[in-house]
Amino acid sequence: MAFTAALLGLVLAGCSPRVAAPTETYSSLATVPEKLGADGTTITVGNAHAPVTVHLYEDPRCPYCEEFETTGGGPELRDAIMRGQVKAEYTLASFLDDKLGGSGSKKAVNALRAALAEGRFAEYHEVLYANQPEESEDGFTADRLLELAVQVEGLRGRTFESAVRDMKYETFVKASEKAYESVGDTPHKGPGTPTAVINRVRIPADYSGVLYDATAFSNLLQLIRRSPEEWEGYVFPEDPAAPSLS
């Protein structure tokens, strides 16, 4: 299949396909549209008409999510969002609290939902991952989350502070965790974080290295823009010896 060769070649070699110019751009994350989906849990960031959709499943305490968001594909994703080429969807999990103890994930998810209510989700999401505590530490306390909110212009105010301290969006936190668990292969267990589904195709765990390589991830997004129908029909090789996207 020609697309298979193109996919592996472009991602591994670092070549970038030429694509059409976007029709809508944004000057910063502060100007990017964001909204809560009709399902009540999916948070969408970016141009609603973007040809590529990256759906991410993340837990705020997950160090692999932090790696993706800070040094992996995350910055490339944000750039593509601001160019109007891609929109991101987020399902926020909090299972690490039960695994490690504490409530930092739940508090962070609640705070992110409160930031969405203020139109500042994307900016605050970036700040939280840039300042993520060690996974073993329950570092996302209400005080810490409010302290970090100062880095987002216009976010910290009485409404946001009350929502963070009172866990206003606790129902959302629980529903979002259930939405994460519902897409796992095992009942009541999600697929792991971060998991990325791009234009309805999930990146398998064996190929997750592409999420942590900024150039490879950027090239993959561009390739999907160029050949969306072939991407949606793409089947990842099952042979573990096959070339990896990473």
Side-chain angles (χ1 to χ4, degrees), residues 23 36 85 97 151 167 184 222 241:
T23 57
L36 182 65
Q85 299 170 343
D97 284 349
Q151 298 184 31
M167 285 292 291
Q222 292 185 65

Side-chain angles (χ1 to χ4, degrees), residues 1 22 88 125 134 136 140 145 164 171 173 179 183 220 225 227 236:
M1 181 177 177
H125 176 267
E134 291 295 323
S136 59
F140 278 139
L145 290 164
V164 170
T171 298
V173 174
V183 300
L220 178 60
R225 286 186 63 217
S227 305
F236 286 84

Side-chain angles (χ1 to χ4, degrees), residues 34-45 53-57 87-92 113 116 121 172 175-176 179-180 183:
E34 52 187 43
K35 66 177 182 179
L36 182 65
D39 61 5
T41 58
T42 301
I43 296 173
T44 300
V45 176
T53 301
V54 178
H55 193 126
L56 289 163
Y57 296 84
K87 67 176 178 289
E89 296 177 342
Y90 297 90
T91 296
L92 303 174
R113 175 64 182 86
L116 177 65
F121 170 85
F172 169 83
S176 191
Y180 162 71
V183 300

Side-chain angles (χ1 to χ4, degrees), residues 169-234:
Y169 296 102
E170 185 173 9
T171 298
F172 169 83
V173 174
K174 293 178 180 178
S176 191
E177 170 62 20
K178 288 183 178 179
Y180 162 71
E181 293 173 0
S182 72
V183 300
D185 296 327
T186 303
H188 309 297
K189 185 177 181 180
T193 55
T195 288
V197 179
I198 307 179
N199 281 17
R200 294 178 290 279
V201 177
R202 183 186 297 187
I203 304 295
D206 289 346
Y207 289 79
S208 63
V210 72
L211 300 179
Y212 309 108
D213 185 313
T215 299
F217 189 76
S218 177
N219 291 342
L220 178 60
L221 294 181
Q222 292 185 65
L223 180 60
I224 294 170
R225 286 186 63 217
R226 190 181 72 176
S227 305
E229 293 182 358
E230 290 187 77
W231 165 252
E232 291 181 27
Y234 181 71

